[in-house]
Amino acid sequence: MSKPVSWFLVLFGVWSWFIWPNFLRNIWSDPRSFDGGPQPFFLVHLVLVVVSLAFGTAIAVIGVRGLRGSARRTR
């Protein structure tokens, strides 16, 4: 994997960790999220955030491994 592609994957993972927690805070404060307990609106968005963070983390790990692999090839 090339260095630019690896860096793109790492930055995508970092971006995910900036965007999705903020999105969850906004959903948490939405009046549709809770009415005597978590509502389907909140639960669906919670699943979206968790899955997106998991994918973002996995993509960043792939990018880091790509950077490490390219560093080993240049030695």
Side-chain angles (χ1 to χ4, degrees):
M1 185 178 335
S2 69
K3 274 190 178 182
V5 170
S6 297
W7 275 112
F8 174 78
L9 295 176
V10 170
L11 291 174
F12 179 85
V14 170
W15 177 84
S16 293
W17 276 94
F18 278 109
I19 295 300
W20 290 108
N22 186 46
F23 179 75
L24 183 60
R25 277 190 295 276
N26 291 335
I27 294 299
W28 190 283
S29 63
D30 192 301
R32 296 172 287 178
S33 293
F34 297 98
D35 185 25
Q39 296 298 304
F41 171 82
F42 175 76
L43 297 174
V44 166
H45 286 90
L46 179 63
V47 169
L48 175 68
V49 169
V50 169
V51 169
S52 296
L53 288 175
F55 280 142
T57 300
I59 289 169
V61 167
I62 292 168
V64 168
R65 288 182 178 180
L67 289 172
R68 286 182 181 169
S70 66
R72 276 189 235 127
R73 283 192 302 262
T74 59
R75 289 184 189 176

